[in-house]
Amino acid sequence: MKEILVLYYSRYGAVAQMARHVARGIEQVAGAAARIRTVPPVSAVCEAAGKAVPDTGAPYAEIADLAECCGLALGSPTRFGNMAAPLKHFLDSTSALWLKGALAGKPAAVLTSTSSMHGGQETTLLSMMLPLLHHGMLLVGLPYTEAELTTTASGGTPYGASHVAGAASDRALTEDERKLCTALGRRLAEICLRLAPK
Ligand SMILES: Cc1cc2nc3c(=O)[nH]c(=O)nc-3n(C[C@H](O)[C@H](O)[C@H](O)COP(=O)(O)O)c2cc1C
């Protein structure tokens, strides 16, 4: 069984929901399993360490999760057109993997959620790719052979899955957004299985 890491940060739940659909897509591929992990919030006051285990939801990611999995789906809410600090903070702790080239050649995909339609989905997705490219990861997007990319009236981009959560962050995923999350997970898993050493 090949494991694919679904690593995300979510403050209000939208990206967490997307991540579950990506995981569902991964698990539709025979021989692939999703390992879902999150990261703790960060604070400007750093004297106190947070709890080692979250109260609810996915466990916190460890560096070993990245090393052990054959691919990565990375999810973040958009924060001023960019990824959220807790996820960036975690990625900034991956130098040891980078030095060894541990992620080089592994496939990766990205997903995000915004409150507004034109609030920076593409900029967030593209900027999330930058550290992954530094690690030598192979980026997997969504091709237009996925019909929902053309029909969607909200989220869904060729750069990765996305969702428009609304000003109150309470809008459910549309059918198109949900299908594109699943398609991204499925595509990532298929490519992981093709590339992973036998
Ligand atoms: C500090 C901060 C910055 C944000 N910046 C943006 C933004 O640039 N564009 C946007 O559309 N939404 C922005 N949002 C809204 C979130 O991206 C949106 O609510 C997202 O769906 C939250 O995902 P989550 O439910 O997984 O936490 C921002 C939210 C916060 C707290």
Side-chain angles (χ1 to χ4, degrees):
M1 187 65 76
K2 299 289 179 195
E3 280 192 287
I4 293 151
L5 182 62
V6 180
L7 174 62
Y8 69 91
Y9 173 72
S10 181
R11 174 75 178 83
Y12 303 109
V15 175
Q17 202 188 346
M18 295 176 77
R20 284 193 290 275
H21 287 293
V22 169
R24 206 163 291 167
I26 289 170
E27 306 230 327
Q28 284 174 1
V29 178
R35 185 187 297 194
I36 305 180
R37 295 289 185 269
T38 188
V39 292
V42 292
S43 158
V45 180
C46 293
E47 286 102 27
K51 291 181 189 167
V53 178
D55 292 331
T56 57
Y60 290 141
E62 294 173 6
I63 298 298
D65 291 315
L66 282 168
E68 288 164 10
C69 289
C70 66
L72 169 69
L74 188 67
S76 173
T78 289
R79 294 268 165 102
F80 303 120
N82 212 321
M83 85 171 90
L87 204 59
K88 179 68 165 54
H89 184 70
F90 179 78
L91 292 175
D92 285 357
S93 70
T94 58
S95 306
L97 293 178
W98 173 77
L99 280 169
K100 287 190 285 190
L103 306 183
K106 292 185 180 183
V110 289
L111 49 137
T112 191
S113 173
T114 56
S115 62
S116 56
M117 183 76 141
H118 301 290
Q121 297 199 340
E122 281 93 343
T123 56
T124 302
L125 293 172
L126 291 173
S127 59
M128 287 171 78
M129 293 177 184
L130 300 181
L132 306 183
L133 285 167
H134 277 253
H135 272 289
M137 300 194 87
L138 306 175
L139 292 161
V140 174
L142 282 164
Y144 273 88
T145 46
E146 299 296 339
E148 294 78 17
L149 263 193
T150 312
T151 56
T152 183
S154 51
T157 84
Y159 315 106
S162 64
H163 166 53
V164 181
S169 222
D170 58 355
R171 214 181 279 171
L173 293 184
T174 65
E175 189 66 1
D176 284 341
E177 290 173 338
R178 187 186 61 70
K179 282 186 176 163
L180 289 167
C181 286
T182 311
L184 188 65
R186 201 168 44 238
R187 185 168 155 82
L188 179 64
E190 283 164 356
I191 292 171
C192 279
L193 289 183
R194 248 185 268 164
L195 294 181
K198 296 286 173 276

